[in-house]
Structures are given as C-alpha cells and as structure tokens.
C-alpha cells in the first residue's frame, strides 16, 4: 500500500545565523504545532524530503525530530512516518491559537483609507434561512432540476480539455456569449452580437463596471425613486451625485430638464423595482430621446422580466435604441439559483474594449466550468423548458396570493398590479406604518419588506413588498392568514403560532 502524502511544506521564519540549524527548525515546527498550523495527527514529510526542500543536511532534520519527539510534540510509527502527537501535554493546550490573535494598527495611528473605502457602504447579505412567506427576490429552489444540472456538470468534467482548464477570456466563454445573445434577441428583443455580451457575476458587478468606466467623482446619476438600493450604493461609492427621479404608473419619469450633465440613468423598465409597473412605450421613447439630447447613457436592469403573467410582452428598452445609449444587464440567479454567480452585460460596441481592459486587471474571467454547464443548459433546451414550468408554477402562487389578499385583506392592503416577476407590492390602508407591520409580521414568522427602504427622502405612501415565488401555495395561504391578523389588529393577542 503506498504511503499517504505528507503535509504541505511549512513556511519557516528567517534564521538567525548564530542559531544552530536543528534548533531553528525545531522551534519553527514547535510553533506550528502550538498555533494550530500543524494539527494533531498531521503527517510530517519524510526527513529526506525536508532536507531537500529546506537545503539542510538530513542529519539536521533527524536531530530536530529527535528533540521534538522527546518533548512529546511528534511521534513516529514504524513503516508509516512521523506524525504530530494526537495527545499533547496539558500545559501545551493552554497556549493561544493563531486564529485568536488579532492585529491592530499602532496606538495613536489611524489606518489610511482611500476615498472609495471611506464612501463604500455594505449591501445586506441574502438570507440563508429556510424560505417562508413572503420571502422576496428568491426563486423556487425546490423546483430547480438539480439532478439534471449535476449530470451536465459531470459530463463537462469528464470531457474537460486542457484549454478549458486554462479559463476563458475577460469577456467570458464564447459559446455562452453566443447562447446568451441568441436568447436575448429572441426573448427580449435585444439588438446585439455575441461580442457585445460580457459574462459577469451578476448585476452588481455589471453596475460596478459601469460606474468605474463611466463615472468620475461628482458626476450626476439618475435613479428611480423608489428604486433598487444596490445601484445607489455602487454609484455613491464612486462619488457620484444621486438624483432621485419619481416613478408613476408609466414607470420612471423622464428626468427634469433642469438636471444638467447627467452621465448615467439607472432604470428597470421591464418590471420596475419595487413597485412592479412596466414602463410604457411612450415613456421609453421619451427616455431614449432625453438621453440622446443630453449625452447620457441608460443602464437597463432586466432583473426578472422572464416571468410575465399579464399584459402584452414589452421588448427591452435596449431593443428600441438606435444610438448606442443603453447598457443592458440581467442575471441567472433569480431564474435558476442564487449561488450561480453568472449574469450578463450587453454593451454598446464602443464600450467593449474598455470593459475588456478593466476585467483583464480585476476578475480576469468568470469560472469556466459554471459557464460551460450553463451554456449546455441553455443550448440543449433545458433553460427554456425550466422557464415555462416555473412560469406556470409562479402563476399559481401569484394567484394564491392575490386570492388570499382579496378574501382576507380587503380594506387593509391594496396589491398593485402584478404583471411580472417574483413578488408583489401593496399599499397599506388605515394609517398603518409599514415598518411596524413588518416587525409584527416577523413575530408571526412571516417576512414582508417595507417599501420605505427603497425611497430616497420622504416616503410618499406606506406599503409592503411580498414575495410569492419562493414558497408553495400552502405556505402563502398561511402567510396571508398571519398577515391579516397583523393588519387587522389580531397581533396584540400574542398568538404567534406557526
């Protein structure tokens, strides 16, 4: 039976010329045991290997090992090798471990941070707890064909080539770029070639790329109000001045003509976040003309427009663009599963080379295996079938939510039209405050999101956002019952049954 491989080679501290080599090596190995870099039971490399790696005589290694063995740090096994002792002397167990040691800047000095580091603010993490009513921004993970995905991944691994092991170019895996371009042209009316498609980790990276390449500190950016806070966080981190533009029944209004030198406008025309309205054709054309006249660019976030349940499908804003004004972005995390960190950014042709250069010095490229598996998932027809199945499933869940609200929450919550997407928004009645309602709902084990968090400045109207895609109809019905108890005064009785 072949011997098991030893541990990786340890990095040793600089040697004091006055210290004997065996003592230097012995103290370094002893410190590695004490601070946890060498775990109990870890196999050490053979003395001959260590001698060659460290440039020492083999006798020096043997002498150091003998001293450590005598002190109880290591033990030898005939025919097997040398191992860190599994049971160390009691007094050694009191030594502080390396991970407990915290380093701090010298007293009286503050760490220098760049202007970007001083401006950037954290974006809240996704919830990793089990889904419950009414979790937003999450697909039905229990309906994802994980077994099929695993089969595609296994097939790719069995056939992997050396060139694929090297990775892809900065813009992505070319077959996936082509598959995405074909899909967007067919399903969203996007006008693009494969060369204009950049594979990114998601819309957040697309926003970061746009901000880095298009904005200087002090530049003005227009965003929807209420709108997606992740976009504002990116733009503010790069020093942009934010102009919040109201949303009405036709979507984002055309920015006021008094706003001068706007560099970029962020919008969600297919399904406005968080209110859910679809931008009218008239408004889309007016927004494009405003951008053309003012020299601005438009960032179109098509975050979950794949799922449309009512109304006529509206092609992407980018498909109406004839002057290279629109950057079009989307992600597969809402359609497939959140940990698949793959999305796309469709660029005007003149921005392709700057983005390629920016990616070449940062992320380089997205993981190729995930790109290849996704490419197979799309080109073999699985993606289209999954979309059709989930559109039917989400339509049923949406219907369960709307029916429950109509039956139990009439007069308390008015749901805004839910034409697309994974969630709905509704206005509260009776002077109820959204934040208080969300806190009371959480005590009943349901999640609702106050629309307050998506406004900049004054909140026009109190409302809640409710997701319906992540959970089944039974859980939606439970959530409606509990929310009715909250909004109609039943929460005061302390009955928080699940």
């Amino acid at each position: 039976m072949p011997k098991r491989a030893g541990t990786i080679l340890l990095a040793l501290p600089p040697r004091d010329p006055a210290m004997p080599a065996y003592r230097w090596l012995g103290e370094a190995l002893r410190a590695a045991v004490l601070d946890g870099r060498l775990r109990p039971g870890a196999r050490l490399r053979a003395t001959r290997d260590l001698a060659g790696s460290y440039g020492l005589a083999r006798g020096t290694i043997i002498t150091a090992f003998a001293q450590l063995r005598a002190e109880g740090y290591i033990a030898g096994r005939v025919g097997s090798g040398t191992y860190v002792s599994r049971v160390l002397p009691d007094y050694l167990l009191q030594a502080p471990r390396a991970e407990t040691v915290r380093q701090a800047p010298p007293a009286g000095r503050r760490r220098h941070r760049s202007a970007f580091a001083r401006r950037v603010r954290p974006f809240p993490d996704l919830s990793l707890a089990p889904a419950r009513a009414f979790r937003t921004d999450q697909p039905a993970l229990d309906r994802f064909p994980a077994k099929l995905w695993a089969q595609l991944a296994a097939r790719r691994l069995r056939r992997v080539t050396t060139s694929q092991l090297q990775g892809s170019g900065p813009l992505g895996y070319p077959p996936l770029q082509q598959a995405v371009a074909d899909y967007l042209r067919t399903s969203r009316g996007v006008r693009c070639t494969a060369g204009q498609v950049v594979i990114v980790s998601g819309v957040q990276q697309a926003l970061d790329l746009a901000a880095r390449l298009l904005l200087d500190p002090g530049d003005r950016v227009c965003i929807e109000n209420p709108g997606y806070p992740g976009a504002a966080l990116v733009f503010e981190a790069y020093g942009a001045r934010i102009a919040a533009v109201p949303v009405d029944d036709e979507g984002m209004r055309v920015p006021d003509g008094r706003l001068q030198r706007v560099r970029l406008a962020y919008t969600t025309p297919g399904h406005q976040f968080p209110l859910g309205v679809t931008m009218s054709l008239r408004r889309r054309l007016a927004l494009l003309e405003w951008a053309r006249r003012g020299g601005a660019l438009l960032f179109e976030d098509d975050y979950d427009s794949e799922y449309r349940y009512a109304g006529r499908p509206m092609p992407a804003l980018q498909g109406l663009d004839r002057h290279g004004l629109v950057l079009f972005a989307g992600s597969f995390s809402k359609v497939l599963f959140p940990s698949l960190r793959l999305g796309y950014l469709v660029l005007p042709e003149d921005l392709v080379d700057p983005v390629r250069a920016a990616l070449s010095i940062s992320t380089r490229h997205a993981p190729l295996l995930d790109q290849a598996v996704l490419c197979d998932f799309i080109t073999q027809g699985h993606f289209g079938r999954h979309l059709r199945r989930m559109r039917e499933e989400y339509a049923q869940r949406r219907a369960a939510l709307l029916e429950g609200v109509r039956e139990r929450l009439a007069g308390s919550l008015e749901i805004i039209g839910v034409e697309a997407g994974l969630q709905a928004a509704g206005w509260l009645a009776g002077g109820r405050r959204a934040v208080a309602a969300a806190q009371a709902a959480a005590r009943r084990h349901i999640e609702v999101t106050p629309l307050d968090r998506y406004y900049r400045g004054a909140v026009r109207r109190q409302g809640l956002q409710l997701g319906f895609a992540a959970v089944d109809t039974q859980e939606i019905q439970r959530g409606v019952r509990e929310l009715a108890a909250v909004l109609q005064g039943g929460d005061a009785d302390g009955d928080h049954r699940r």
Side-chain angles (χ1 to χ4, degrees):
M1 178 182 295
K3 294 183 179 180
R4 289 181 297 166
T7 63
I8 62 174
L9 194 65
L10 286 171
L12 300 180
R15 177 186 167 191
D16 184 346
M19 179 181 291
Y22 79 89
R23 183 179 165 191
W24 166 69
L25 177 61
E27 290 189 0
L29 294 175
R30 184 185 300 110
V33 172
L34 290 175
D35 64 22
R37 286 179 292 144
L38 284 177
R39 301 287 187 179
R43 184 175 183 271
L44 301 178
R45 289 193 174 205
T47 55
R48 183 177 288 104
D49 289 344
L50 290 175
S53 298
Y54 291 136
L56 299 172
R58 190 180 178 200
T60 299
I61 308 294
I62 293 173
T63 302
F65 274 26
Q67 180 64 36
L68 292 171
R69 190 177 295 110
E71 295 173 355
Y73 288 93
I74 63 175
R77 302 177 193 171
V78 177
S80 177
T82 303
Y83 296 80
V84 177
S85 296
R86 291 192 177 277
V87 180
L88 297 174
D90 289 344
Y91 72 91
L92 294 179
L93 301 178
Q94 307 304 315
R97 301 182 67 83
E99 53 263 34
T100 65
V101 178
R102 291 196 174 104
Q103 295 181 339
R109 292 178 55 188
R110 297 190 63 181
R111 184 88 66 192
H112 172 74
R113 296 182 298 160
S114 68
F116 175 88
R118 293 192 297 271
R119 287 190 299 257
V120 69
R121 296 292 180 268
F123 195 24
D125 295 334
L126 292 172
S127 174
L128 299 180
R132 59 188 185 183
F134 296 97
R135 176 75 55 80
T136 60
D137 299 316
Q138 182 173 310
L141 300 180
D142 59 324
R143 296 292 191 268
F144 180 73
K147 184 176 180 180
L148 171 62
W149 186 269
Q151 290 171 345
L152 295 174
R155 187 177 303 138
R156 273 288 179 174
L157 282 172
R158 287 195 299 269
R159 300 175 181 177
V160 69
T161 65
T162 54
S163 63
Q164 290 171 341
L165 291 175
Q166 290 179 344
S168 62
L171 299 184
Y173 179 51
L176 179 57
Q177 290 177 275
Q178 185 65 60
V180 170
D182 293 343
Y183 163 68
L184 293 177
R185 283 197 298 265
T186 301
S187 68
R188 301 295 296 122
V190 171
R191 298 161 56 91
C192 68
T193 64
Q196 293 173 260
V197 176
V198 185
I199 304 302
V200 291
S201 67
V203 172
Q204 284 303 125
Q205 187 188 16
L207 286 164
D208 183 79
L209 277 169
R212 275 194 288 151
L213 293 173
L214 302 175
L215 302 178
D216 290 316
D219 283 346
R220 180 175 280 120
V221 176
C222 292
I223 64 171
E224 298 169 329
N225 190 32
Y228 175 53
L233 285 172
V234 172
F235 300 142
E236 288 175 325
Y238 284 99
R241 292 181 296 158
I242 302 296
V245 179
V247 173
D248 60 24
D249 292 341
E250 293 187 72
M252 179 184 185
R253 295 180 184 173
V254 176
D256 193 309
R258 291 172 295 181
L259 287 175
Q260 299 297 317
R261 292 185 294 276
V262 175
R263 296 293 184 195
L264 187 67
Y266 169 86
T267 183
T268 54
H271 181 225
Q272 200 277 331
F273 186 93
L275 300 184
V277 300
T278 299
M279 185 178 289
S280 67
L281 178 60
R282 181 182 71 87
R283 182 68 55 80
R284 291 169 188 243
L285 295 174
L287 190 61
L288 285 168
E289 179 61 15
W290 167 83
R292 187 189 68 80
R293 289 180 177 275
L297 290 175
L298 303 174
F299 189 105
E300 180 178 6
D301 184 350
D302 199 54
Y303 71 101
D304 65 359
S305 296
E306 291 86 357
Y307 298 119
R308 175 161 290 278
Y309 317 108
R312 190 174 65 181
M314 183 71 72
L317 176 68
Q318 193 268 6
L320 302 172
D321 178 20
R322 298 295 183 271
H323 302 284
L325 303 173
V326 180
L327 291 77
F328 181 87
S331 171
F332 292 101
S333 63
K334 298 290 191 300
V335 183
L336 301 179
F337 53 94
S339 62
L340 179 65
R341 301 313 306 157
L342 290 177
Y344 47 86
L345 175 62
V346 179
L347 296 166
E349 290 185 358
D350 62 305
L351 291 180
V352 172
D353 286 340
V355 167
R356 179 187 287 111
L359 287 172
S360 73
I361 65 168
S362 56
T363 55
R364 297 288 288 169
H365 53 75
L368 192 139
L369 177 61
D370 286 346
Q371 293 186 76
V373 175
L374 176 59
C375 181
D376 293 343
F377 194 75
I378 295 173
T379 57
Q380 294 176 19
H382 307 303
F383 183 67
R385 285 190 290 273
H386 180 67
L387 284 181
R388 288 191 293 273
R389 285 194 301 268
M390 298 318 300
R391 191 177 292 117
E392 294 176 1
E393 180 70 30
Y394 294 156
Q396 294 175 9
R397 298 181 180 191
R398 165 184 173 269
L401 173 63
L402 295 179
E403 181 181 359
V405 170
R406 184 168 56 251
E407 291 180 354
R408 293 180 175 270
L409 290 166
S412 300
L413 183 70
E414 177 194 353
I415 292 290
I416 306 170
V418 192
E419 294 184 351
L422 308 179
Q423 55 245 346
W427 301 123
L428 289 169
R432 191 73 192 237
R433 308 297 295 179
V435 173
Q439 293 169 345
R443 294 194 291 270
R444 288 181 172 267
H445 308 288
I446 57 176
E447 302 176 17
V448 292
T449 304
L451 292 179
D452 301 44
R453 70 176 53 177
Y454 302 126
Y455 279 93
R456 296 180 70 88
V459 177
R460 262 195 325 113
R461 195 173 177 185
Q462 294 293 307
L464 298 173
Q465 190 180 46
L466 291 77
F468 55 81
V471 294
D472 59 24
T473 55
Q474 185 176 359
E475 173 63 9
I476 289 172
Q477 290 165 355
R478 182 196 72 84
V480 170
R481 291 195 301 269
E482 297 295 339
L483 186 58
V486 168
L487 298 183
Q488 295 167 5
D491 194 56
D493 62 10
D495 179 8
H496 301 155
R497 292 188 295 272
R498 295 182 69 85

